[in-house]
């Protein structure tokens, strides 16, 4: 007599569990394999969107970078869900990064995009209608990069523990399908975690934090489920900018920069963004405005007086950190091909 279905035990010995026996396909050395899930978070203006686009171009073209730390073994189908940047900015960034990697501009076309700004609608994964709209693209992709979490999963802005439900369901779906998701998130007020509750990290295999000093960016591992690692610093890099390319160049991790320590203390100690960073961000978004309009726009945002803001802007401009400001007082046209000496300037320029 056959027993009723579901009565017999289904447990199996460890070495006899079903599933493929092939080696996992490594994407990021010592950190991420195909099928793993990851979040990338940072303070505003550090360059997380730019770094995510670097990953997308490398994965889509099978291109190694950062001395082999980014190490895809083949080309992958990459989908980027972008809710942050206009089409022109995405195209310009992608072309510059591709050329910095030694690839033709057409390498940027290997990535598939869903852009909420280009499509003039919300693109989200926390509603049934949004999921159905994106599902055909999700099913075609091997790697999905979402920028940013609060735009693609707006329900994550809530303060309760349920704010992690939608992204965790998305990570679980990707894991079951053998896909990798990389979601860009914002840094919390304390500086050492992403914004919101710990529940957002439960379904993740890796969590990366970007920290910026004056001239370098440090990629810190705050969670690494599948690999053993004694060094939380995964890689440090600077950005070399020329007129037609952006090159991510690894730097010596042992060369500790005192500015990095000071920057970390400053970011974790304050509940509001660094004033100089906020000024740079605002001018990046409004490069055609004159100084009076910029000061007026920042007064309400930063709760500072006109004279204080004017002095800060003058100091940044004289230090050469606002060279992208096209309507600056006494603006000097930089010669083509001139290199920027500092990665933080480039991060501010290229990260919204």
């Amino acid at each position: 007599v056959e027993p009723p279905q579901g009565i017999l035990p289904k447990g199996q010995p460890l070495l006899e569990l079903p599933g493929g026996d092939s080696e996992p396909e490594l994407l990021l050395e010592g950190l991420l394999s195909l099928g793993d899930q990851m979040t990338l978070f940072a303070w505003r203006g550090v360059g997380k969107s730019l770094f995510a686009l670097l990953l997308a171009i490398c994965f889509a073209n099978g291109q190694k970078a950062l001395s082999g730390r980014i190490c895809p073994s083949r080309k992958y189908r990459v989908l980027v869900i972008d809710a942050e940047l206009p089409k022109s900015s995405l195209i310009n960034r992608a072309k510059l990064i591709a050329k910095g990697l030694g690839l033709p501009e057409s390498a940027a076309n290997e990535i598939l995009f869903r852009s909420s700004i280009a499509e003039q609608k919300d693109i989200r994964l926390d509603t049934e209608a949004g999921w159905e709209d994106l599902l055909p693209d999700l099913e075609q992709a091997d790697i999905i990069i979402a920028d940013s979490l609060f735009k693609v999963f707006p329900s994550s802005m809530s303060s309760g523990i349920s704010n992690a439900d939608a992204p965790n369901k998305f990570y679980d779906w990707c894991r079951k399908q053998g896909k990798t998701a990389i979601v860009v998130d914002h840094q919390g007020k304390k500086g050492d975690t992403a914004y919101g509750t710990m529940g957002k990290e439960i379904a993740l295999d890796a969590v990366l934090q970007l920290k910026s000093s004056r001239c370098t960016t440090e990629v810190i591992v705050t969670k690494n489920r599948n690999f053993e690692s004694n060094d939380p610093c995964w890689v440090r890099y600077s950005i070399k900018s020329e007129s037609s390319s952006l090159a991510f160049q690894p730097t010596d991790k042992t060369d500790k920069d005192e500015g990095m320590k000071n920057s970390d203390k400053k970011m974790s100690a304050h509940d509001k963004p660094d004033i100089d960073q906020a000024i740079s961000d605002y001018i990046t978004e409004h490069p055609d405005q004159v100084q009076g309009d910029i000061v007026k726009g920042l007064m309400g945002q930063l709760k500072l007086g006109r004279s204080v803001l004017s002095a800060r802007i003058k100091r940044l401009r004289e230090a050469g950190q606002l060279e992208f400001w096209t309507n600056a007082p006494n603006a000097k046209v930089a010669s083509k091909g001139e290199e920027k000496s500092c990665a933080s300037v480039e991060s501010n320029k290229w990260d919204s």
Side-chain angles (χ1 to χ4, degrees), residues 164-347:
D165 287 351
N168 283 340
K169 288 177 181 177
F170 171 61
Y171 296 138
D172 289 342
W173 179 85
C174 289
R175 192 184 306 281
K176 291 173 183 176
Q177 302 293 322
K179 304 176 186 293
T180 285
I182 299 174
V183 176
V184 178
D185 200 357
H186 295 281
Q187 184 163 304
K189 289 182 178 180
K190 291 184 178 180
D192 56 347
T193 61
Y195 182 91
T197 67
M198 186 179 68
K200 286 161 54 177
E201 294 190 3
I202 289 175
L204 296 171
D205 300 289
V207 179
L208 286 184
Q209 179 184 21
L210 266 59
K211 294 183 179 181
S212 181
S213 71
R214 188 175 183 278
C215 293
T216 62
T217 299
E218 190 171 10
V219 184
I220 302 295
V221 180
T222 64
K223 180 178 181 179
N224 193 354
R225 174 181 285 166
N226 296 328
F227 297 88
E228 293 184 4
S229 176
N230 296 322
D231 189 351
C233 178
W234 185 68
V235 73
R236 296 179 79 213
Y237 64 84
S238 60
I239 298 177
K240 178 182 179 182
S241 174
E242 296 183 344
S243 59
S244 60
S245 69
L246 281 175
F248 289 71
Q249 298 181 327
T251 59
D252 184 5
K253 289 193 294 184
T254 61
D255 181 22
K256 293 299 180 181
D257 190 291
E258 188 64 31
M260 179 77 72
K261 297 178 183 177
N262 294 335
S263 176
D264 292 346
K265 292 177 182 177
K266 179 168 55 180
M267 286 191 283
S268 61
H270 292 276
D271 288 345
K272 63 182 181 179
D274 175 76
I275 294 172
D276 290 350
Q277 183 66 64
I279 291 171
S280 182
D281 289 344
Y282 187 91
I283 295 176
T284 300
E285 296 173 2
H286 307 89
D288 296 328
Q289 287 190 1
V290 297
Q291 179 163 319
D293 292 336
I294 288 171
V295 170
K296 188 183 298 182
L298 284 167
M299 284 174 66
Q301 178 180 325
L302 298 177
K303 309 298 182 185
L304 294 174
R306 184 182 298 273
S307 59
V308 174
L309 284 168
S310 297
R312 289 263 189 167
I313 292 172
K314 180 181 179 182
R315 180 171 59 80
L316 289 172
R317 182 165 52 82
E318 291 176 348
Q321 296 188 34
L322 298 177
E323 295 182 6
F324 48 88
W325 184 8
T326 57
N327 212 1
N330 304 319
K332 295 180 179 180
V333 180
S335 59
K336 271 195 171 184
E338 181 181 2
E339 291 188 13
K340 307 292 186 295
S341 63
C342 175
S344 63
V345 176
E346 292 308 320
S347 296

